[in-house]
């Protein structure tokens, strides 16, 4: 079904879905404040539009007024939990009176970059992208006007440079662009997973240079990083993900399974606890049975030639593999290293979707895991 071409570019359907979504918000505003209606759609909107962007613009105003010279613990930027390297962007002249215009402008650029990256779509692919782009995490990024939407757009430009140019100089410019945003807001540094595309010696050289430069910067700013981590209490934010968020969600669940109340056994909780154990064991048994039945296919999948450039089956010949590497690098970095971030960073997984859909259409050993990954990605729609 995903292979079937459509007469009309499916991106028109994606645009229509977005226009319908925002049109619904506009109409709803005649009856109820739009931010309250937006919450009904799963987006924790607030009354002030583009509140994150306004905070950053306010920090720029603060920096210009105070004339801070030191980039260490710049009070104008620690209050918004950003590295004071943001002070280097003050020269752009952006002011707090501009949030509405800039918020709409950045959102439009975000959608344009996304539509360019995903390329021509059929109707089925268009439905997938429409669901993703209208999902709560993506809409939360747009509603907040968070600077991650700017970072996303610039990384998209970098990926297009990597994909469409064979010249090393353009790829180096793209890598430097990713590194720049890594210095500005840390997490994009994981997007440098794209340098896996380079030959071994060049990869090792670039990896060593970027790692040394970033570690040096991080160590020089370690005190400021501690201040930032203390200033932003992300634990109070419910729309978050990461390994720490997983623990925070499991902790009250385990507490609720306590079998004793006031020194006496709670029968209801004991029954509930036993039911959870039984269901967990049954699930493990079913999964084990499925894996054993697919063991031969799994062995073939492991033996699949992913890296040989002489093979037609090489993963490196996949059309959007660089997009996938960047998205996977950022997601894993946020989840495993940073550990606790706001859900709108899931937006960067959009970069992985073109490659996932391409693998599904290939109908080989990569189709099954890609289908599972695609289904998980659609789990953003909730």
């Amino acid at each position: 079904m995903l292979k079937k071409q459509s007469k009309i570019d499916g991106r028109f359907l994606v645009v229509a879905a977005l226009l319908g979504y925002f049109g619904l918000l506009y109409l709803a505003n005649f009856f109820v404040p739009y931010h309250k209606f937006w919450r009904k759609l799963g987006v924790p909107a607030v009354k002030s539009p583009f509140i994150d962007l306004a905070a950053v613009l306010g920090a720029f105003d603060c920096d210009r007024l105070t004339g801070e010279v030191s980039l260490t613990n710049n009070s104008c930027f620690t209050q918004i939990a950003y590295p004071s390297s943001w002070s280097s962007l003050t020269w752009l002249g952006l002011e707090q009176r501009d949030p509405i215009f800039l918020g709409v402008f950045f959102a439009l650029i975000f959608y344009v970059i996304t539509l360019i990256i995903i390329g021509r779509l059929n109707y089925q692919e268009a439905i997938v992208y429409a669901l993703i782009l209208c999902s709560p995490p993506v809409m939360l990024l747009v509603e907040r006007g968070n600077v991650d939407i700017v970072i996303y757009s610039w990384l998209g430009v970098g990926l297009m440079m990597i994909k469409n140019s064979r010249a090393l100089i353009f790829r180096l410019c793209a890598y430097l662009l990713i590194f720049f945003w890594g210095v500005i807001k840390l997490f994009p540094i994981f997007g440098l997973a794209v340098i896996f595309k380079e030959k071994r010696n060049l990869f090792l050289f670039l990896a060593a240079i970027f790692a040394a430069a970033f570690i040096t910067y991080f160590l020089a700013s370690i005190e400021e990083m501690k201040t930032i981590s203390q200033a932003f209490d992300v634990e109070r934010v419910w729309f978050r993900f990461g390994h720490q968020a997983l623990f925070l969600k499991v902790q009250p669940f385990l507490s609720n399974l306590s079998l004793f109340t006031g020194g006496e056994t709670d029968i209801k909780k004991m029954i509930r606890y036993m039911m959870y154990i039984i269901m967990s064991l049954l699930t493990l048994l079913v999964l084990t049975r499925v894996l054993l039945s697919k063991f031969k296919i799994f062995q073939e999948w492991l033996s699949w030639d992913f890296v040989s450039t002489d093979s037609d089956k090489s993963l490196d010949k996949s059309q959007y593999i660089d997009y996938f590497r960047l998205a996977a690098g950022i997601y894993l970095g946020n989840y495993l290293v940073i550990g606790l971030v706001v859900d709108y960073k899931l937006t960067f997984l959009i970069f992985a979707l073109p490659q996932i859909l391409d693998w599904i259409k290939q109908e080989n050993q990569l189709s099954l895991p890609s289908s599972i990954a695609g289904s998980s990605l659609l789990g953003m729609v909730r």
Side-chain angles (χ1 to χ4, degrees):
M1 185 179 294
L2 287 175
K3 287 185 176 181
K4 187 177 181 180
Q5 294 296 320
S6 57
K7 294 181 180 179
I8 301 176
D9 191 336
R11 285 179 290 184
F12 287 106
L13 296 179
V14 176
V15 173
L18 290 170
L19 292 176
Y21 187 101
F22 288 109
L24 181 62
L25 285 176
Y26 177 77
L27 293 175
N29 196 49
F30 288 103
F31 306 97
V32 63
Y34 84 96
H35 66 280
K36 292 185 178 179
F37 182 78
W38 217 342
R39 291 178 184 177
K40 299 293 184 181
L41 299 178
V43 180
V46 294
K47 186 175 182 180
S48 301
F50 307 118
I51 188 172
D52 286 3
L53 177 60
V56 174
L57 297 178
F60 287 152
D61 285 342
C62 169
D63 189 67
R64 280 188 289 266
L65 290 173
T66 58
E68 290 269 10
V69 177
S70 173
L71 291 183
T72 303
N73 292 329
N74 186 327
S75 59
C76 294
F77 294 93
T78 54
Q79 63 185 348
I80 58 172
Y82 283 8
S84 55
S85 53
W86 278 81
S87 180
S88 61
L89 302 179
T90 305
W91 65 271
L92 292 173
L94 301 177
E95 300 178 354
Q96 197 170 18
R97 64 184 180 183
D98 303 327
I100 302 296
F101 170 77
L102 288 175
V104 173
F105 176 73
F106 290 150
L108 289 174
I109 295 297
F110 162 74
Y111 288 123
V112 169
I113 291 292
T114 300
L115 291 172
I116 292 174
I117 282 176
I118 63 182
R120 183 183 175 89
L121 306 174
N122 60 29
Y123 298 142
Q124 291 76 25
E125 291 170 324
I127 293 174
V128 173
Y129 279 103
L131 290 173
I132 293 295
L133 289 175
C134 293
S135 65
V138 177
M139 284 299 174
L140 177 62
L141 178 61
V142 174
E143 185 270 338
R144 288 291 194 271
N146 191 274
V147 292
D148 285 1
I149 202 170
V150 179
I151 296 174
Y152 174 101
S153 300
W154 277 111
L155 294 186
V157 171
L159 286 173
M160 287 188 281
M161 292 171 60
I162 294 171
K163 179 175 180 289
N164 298 318
S165 177
R166 295 183 178 180
L168 177 60
I169 184 64
F170 290 106
R171 298 202 300 278
L172 288 177
C173 289
Y175 300 153
L176 288 172
L177 182 62
I178 297 172
F179 180 81
F180 167 78
W181 285 110
V183 169
I184 292 295
K185 211 180 174 190
L186 301 185
F187 78 89
I189 198 68
F190 301 110
L192 281 175
V194 292
I195 64 175
F196 275 110
K197 74 177 282 99
E198 304 297 343
K199 294 182 179 179
R200 184 180 62 180
N201 290 341
L202 181 58
F203 162 74
L204 293 175
F205 174 75
L206 291 176
I209 292 295
F210 284 127
F214 186 77
I215 291 173
T216 300
Y217 163 74
F218 188 84
L219 292 177
S221 309
I222 191 67
E223 292 301 321
E224 183 182 28
M225 299 305 171
K226 292 179 180 178
T227 303
I228 290 173
S229 64
Q230 295 170 358
F232 185 41
D233 186 12
V234 76
E235 291 188 13
R236 298 176 60 185
V237 182
W238 64 266
F239 37 97
R240 59 184 186 251
F241 76 96
H243 72 271
Q244 294 182 42
L246 180 63
F247 175 75
L248 291 173
K249 291 178 180 179
V250 171
Q251 191 176 28
F253 170 78
L254 295 176
S255 298
N256 289 334
L257 288 179
S258 174
L259 301 182
F260 300 95
T261 303
E264 297 181 359
T265 303
D266 190 323
I267 301 299
K268 291 183 178 179
K269 288 187 177 182
M270 178 176 288
I271 294 174
R272 188 191 312 168
Y273 181 73
M274 293 175 64
M275 288 178 63
Y276 280 128
I277 293 177
I278 292 172
M279 293 302 297
S280 299
L281 291 175
L282 287 175
T283 302
L284 288 174
L285 287 173
V286 171
L287 288 176
T288 303
R289 178 68 183 87
V290 172
L291 289 175
L292 289 175
S293 65
K294 302 292 184 181
F295 187 70
K296 185 176 180 180
I297 297 178
F298 182 67
Q299 282 186 321
E300 293 175 355
W301 184 79
L302 287 177
S303 64
W304 195 256
D305 187 359
F306 289 140
V307 296
S308 174
T309 55
D310 298 327
S311 170
D312 291 334
K313 302 174 182 178
S314 174
L315 191 66
D316 278 334
K317 291 188 177 182
S318 298
Q319 186 179 5
Y320 298 103
I321 187 59
D322 297 316
Y323 296 6
F324 183 86
R325 284 174 176 145
L326 181 136
I330 288 178
Y331 177 79
L332 292 174
N334 278 321
Y335 193 95
L336 298 175
V337 180
I338 298 178
L340 197 62
V341 292
V342 183
D343 273 357
Y344 50 61
K345 283 186 169 55
L346 290 170
T347 301
F348 289 87
L349 286 174
I350 293 174
F351 289 134
L353 194 53
Q355 184 59 71
I356 290 173
L357 293 176
D358 188 52
W359 279 332
I360 293 174
K361 289 186 284 188
Q362 290 177 19
E363 296 181 355
N364 54 29
Q365 280 90 336
L366 287 172
S367 296
L368 178 60
S370 298
S371 298
I372 296 173
S375 300
S376 300
L377 197 53
L378 283 173
M380 290 169 61
V381 185
R382 56 184 184 271

